[in-house]
């Protein structure tokens, strides 16, 4: 196997012994079995992923991947591409939603610029990888060259490795890139064999006419690349974006290293689907934070059998929905670890 196929390497196995121990503990806690619903399931899942009966989410790692998209020249976005770079400044200045949430969670936040359309000065706190001035226009040619796609996947892998080395207990990926809901929807259509109408949405605020035009652009792209979408890597290269490929690479590397992932919204879930298609074993390491406002998000979650924790009508991106779900994971762990058992509390359990 070549070095370029690192994403096909084995993923870490879930620790079934720790999972069973956590499940047994849940059954002994002073509550009716199952009464805390998904919170119980979360604690048990995290125990298996972290390999310990009592899991924790003390140190989350948040990585924001940014990149521009050539398909914006088709008029698919309500915002100009300069916004991508402007938001990079906002992330590291502390003024973005994810910046605020990271501070509240005491999470590590890193920002990775994979390639913007508008040139940027070096920004303190941003890793500038410069894979290109954004992707090419996917409605007219392949979005990325094979080398760019490989480099973007590797950028995500490197972020996951930094997170693991820092002792992170949870990885959250976020994205920023004007036009990226178009790329994500095109990817989802190809991977799920669905028409654009099933997956396209307003993104950052298109009206009905804008959504219809966006669907037409995606259908044109699907027709253009139709003969070359038989492999998930080819789908990602031709229809994806730098930041979507980086997210997929990060999810794959997390699964290989044994680091649980909390997946954010529509675009991140498309990246998760790409990762699972590239290496199905990585699915065990993915938790899903929320179901967002983009209409296609439900289809993606269904395809991945993902149970979202929240449904708040979110459509910001940046990893914000996943960050909002971290307190739920922390509380699930606190309840699992801190509640007394029936024996400890001298409370009568149900008769066997």
């Amino acid at each position: 196997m070549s070095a370029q196929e690192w994403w096909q390497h084995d993923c870490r196995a879930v620790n079934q012994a720790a999972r069973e121990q956590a499940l047994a503990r849940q059954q002994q806690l002073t509550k009716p079995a199952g009464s805390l619903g998904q919170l119980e399931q979360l604690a048990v899942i995290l125990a298996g992923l972290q390999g310990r009966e009592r899991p924790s989410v003390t140190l989350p790692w948040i990585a924001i991947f940014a990149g521009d998209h050539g398909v914006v020249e088709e008029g698919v976005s309500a915002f100009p591409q300069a916004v991508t770079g402007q938001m990079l400044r906002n992330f590291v200045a502390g003024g973005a939603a994810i910046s605020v949430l990271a501070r509240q969670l005491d999470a590590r936040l890193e920002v990775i610029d994979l390639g913007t359309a508008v040139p940027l000065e070096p920004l303190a706190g941003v890793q500038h990888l410069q894979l290109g001035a954004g992707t090419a226009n996917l409605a007219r040619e392949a979005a990325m060259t094979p080398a760019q796609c490989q480099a973007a996947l590797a950028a995500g892998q490197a972020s996951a490795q930094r997170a693991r080395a820092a002792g992170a207990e949870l990885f959250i990926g976020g994205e920023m890139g004007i036009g990226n809901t178009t790329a994500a929807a095109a990817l989802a259509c190809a991977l799920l064999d669905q028409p654009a109408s099933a997956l396209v949405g307003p993104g950052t605020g298109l009206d009905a006419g804008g959504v219809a035009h966006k669907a037409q652009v995606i259908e044109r792209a699907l027709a253009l690349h139709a003969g070359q979408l038989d492999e998930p890597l080819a789908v990602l290269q031709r229809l994806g974006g730098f930041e979507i490929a980086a997210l997929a690479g990060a999810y794959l590397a997390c699964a290989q290293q044994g680091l649980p992932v909390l997946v954010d919204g529509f675009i991140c879930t498309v990246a998760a689907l790409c990762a699972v298609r590239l290496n199905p074993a990585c699915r065990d390491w993915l938790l899903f934070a929320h179901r967002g406002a983009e209409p296609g998000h439900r289809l993606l979650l269904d395809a991945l059998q993902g149970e979202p924790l929240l449904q708040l009508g979110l459509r910001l991106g940046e990893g914000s929905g996943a960050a909002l779900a971290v307190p739920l994971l922390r509380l699930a762990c606190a309840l699992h670890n801190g509640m007394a058992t029936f024996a400890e509390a001298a409370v009568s359990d149900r008769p066997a």
Side-chain angles (χ1 to χ4, degrees):
M1 186 175 293
S2 72
Q4 289 186 331
E5 295 170 329
W6 62 265
W7 56 83
Q8 295 178 334
H9 295 176
D10 290 344
C11 296
R12 187 78 59 89
V14 175
N15 188 318
Q16 295 298 336
R19 184 185 176 98
E20 290 300 320
Q21 290 165 0
L23 183 59
R25 175 172 174 78
Q26 277 291 329
Q27 294 168 346
Q28 298 167 25
L29 299 180
T30 47
K31 57 178 175 56
S35 58
L36 287 174
Q38 273 185 275
L39 295 180
E40 294 184 19
Q41 299 165 29
L42 275 175
V44 172
I45 290 169
L46 283 169
L49 297 179
Q50 294 184 352
R52 52 193 181 193
E53 180 188 338
R54 302 193 183 201
S56 65
V57 187
T58 304
L59 179 60
W61 181 280
I62 303 173
I64 307 300
F65 300 98
D68 273 317
H69 294 261
V71 73
V72 168
E73 69 186 28
E74 302 291 335
V76 294
S77 177
F79 285 84
Q81 286 191 299
V83 169
T84 303
Q86 292 163 359
M87 284 302 299
L88 285 170
R89 296 187 186 96
N90 196 23
F91 291 142
V92 293
I98 193 59
S99 311
V100 174
L101 291 167
R103 287 197 298 273
Q104 292 296 311
L105 296 172
D106 290 324
R108 290 281 297 274
L109 175 65
E110 70 169 14
V111 181
I112 301 160
D113 167 22
L114 297 152
T116 57
V118 178
L120 286 176
E121 76 281 7
L123 298 173
V126 175
Q127 298 179 43
H128 296 283
L129 301 186
Q130 298 177 319
L131 304 186
T135 58
N137 182 349
L138 61 86
R140 300 178 185 272
E141 59 185 303
M144 291 175 275
T145 66
Q148 286 175 323
C149 189
Q150 298 274 359
L153 283 162
Q157 179 191 34
S159 177
Q161 290 170 340
R162 287 191 294 273
R164 190 62 171 165
E169 295 170 311
L170 182 74
F171 184 93
I172 292 172
E175 40 64 38
M176 176 65 216
I178 296 302
N180 62 7
T181 58
T182 300
L187 269 171
C189 288
L191 292 171
L192 297 177
D193 194 21
Q194 292 285 331
S197 58
L199 286 147
V200 74
T204 51
L206 292 175
D207 59 16
V211 172
H213 172 67
K214 185 171 164 182
Q216 291 170 358
V217 171
I218 291 170
E219 290 292 358
R220 198 167 80 235
L222 294 171
L224 175 68
H225 301 288
Q228 301 174 77
L229 300 177
D230 52 343
E231 296 290 337
L233 185 63
V235 177
L236 181 59
Q237 180 217 325
R238 290 183 166 276
L239 299 175
F242 294 153
E243 78 280 39
I244 299 172
L247 284 162
Y251 297 156
L252 289 159
C254 283
Q256 290 169 342
Q257 297 178 106
L259 179 58
V261 170
L262 187 57
V263 179
D264 190 40
F266 176 70
I267 293 159
C268 290
T269 308
V270 172
L273 181 61
C274 287
V276 171
R277 292 295 178 87
L278 287 166
N279 187 340
C282 79
R283 172 62 186 85
D284 287 342
W285 293 87
L286 305 179
L287 301 168
F288 295 87
H290 73 107
R291 183 163 60 234
E294 280 290 297
H297 198 189
R298 182 188 295 271
L299 279 176
L300 290 162
L301 290 168
D302 288 346
L304 288 162
Q305 297 183 311
E307 292 289 338
L309 300 175
L310 303 170
Q311 186 173 348
L312 298 172
L314 304 173
R315 56 184 181 90
L316 176 59
E318 303 178 5
S320 55
L324 285 167
V326 169
L328 278 179
L329 268 65
R330 286 177 167 171
L331 289 169
C333 293
L335 288 164
H336 177 81
N337 299 337
M339 283 183 69
T341 64
F342 284 103
E344 290 166 346
V347 171
S348 297
D349 195 357
R350 292 184 307 172

